[in-house]
Amino acid sequence: MNDILLLLILLVITYFTGTIIEKKHFESIRKREIALIKKPIVNFGAKTWNTNKKIKKIELVTGECVISGDYFKNFVASLKNLFGGRLTTFESVLDRGRREAILRMREKAIGANFIINTRIESVMINDNYGKESVPQCAIIAYGTAITYE
């Protein structure tokens, strides 16, 4: 009985703290995205971008992020794993990680006019749903920053 009570207390605490932390992170992401709105990211090569301006600098820019869910999300995901289907509890975690990696890439492209050939890669670092491990996802966004004279 004590084990079930402890589990319920942990689930309630992690649900509320995880929700608060996630909302704060999403708000931080929104503010940073608004600040970087004038630095476009395009998904095609430099040859297709017509301009008469002379290129001053070309550099590779990257943004990395490692993110994981809280105990509540892991618990719900392990239950859904029994029956199959979409793990919607982790979709917000992946969305946060993807947006964070893109923002970090954009923030590293200081002075660049735009970023071309943007790509996003992800890999699961630890995908075991046991008591001793928390699933974590590493996400990297990379592209070529172009700066005109």
Side-chain angles (χ1 to χ4, degrees):
M1 184 67 180
N2 287 337
D3 291 340
I4 294 173
L5 184 62
L6 180 63
L7 176 66
L8 291 175
I9 290 171
L10 276 174
L11 287 175
V12 169
I13 290 171
T14 57
Y15 173 76
F16 286 112
T17 56
T19 302
I20 290 168
I21 290 169
E22 190 172 63
K23 283 182 182 178
K24 285 183 180 179
H25 191 211
F26 270 126
E27 185 61 30
S28 166
I29 287 172
R30 273 188 226 98
K31 287 178 183 176
R32 289 165 51 212
E33 284 174 340
I34 290 169
L36 293 169
I37 197 91
K38 293 187 178 183
K39 188 177 293 184
I41 298 175
V42 292
N43 209 16
F44 49 81
K47 292 179 181 178
T48 59
W49 189 268
N50 281 333
T51 184
N52 295 330
K53 298 177 183 178
K54 189 172 181 182
I55 294 176
K56 177 182 175 182
K57 184 166 85 172
I58 299 174
E59 66 178 325
L60 175 70
V61 288
T62 62
E64 302 86 14
C65 178
V66 177
I67 195 160
S68 70
D70 54 47
Y71 183 78
F72 179 79
K73 289 182 190 279
N74 292 335
F75 181 76
V76 172
S78 64
L79 288 178
K80 284 189 175 182
N81 229 4
L82 294 173
F83 304 105
R86 286 178 49 196
L87 294 177
T88 55
T89 54
F90 281 125
E91 288 177 0
S92 65
V93 174
L94 289 174
D95 182 41
R96 281 176 39 218
R98 178 187 51 79
R99 290 169 67 184
E100 181 69 34
I102 291 170
L103 279 170
R104 289 179 183 181
M105 175 190 65
R106 292 173 78 183
E107 289 168 346
K108 286 182 182 178
I110 299 170
N113 295 95
F114 58 91
I115 302 170
I116 61 170
N117 270 350
T118 305
R119 301 288 185 260
I120 301 170
E121 303 284 335
S122 64
V123 64
M124 289 299 292
I125 295 175
N126 187 0
D127 57 357
N128 297 327
Y129 293 104
K131 289 181 180 179
E132 300 168 3
S133 63
V134 177
Q136 301 167 348
C137 184
I139 301 168
I140 182 169
Y142 57 95
T144 305
I146 305 291
T147 307
Y148 291 125
E149 287 185 349

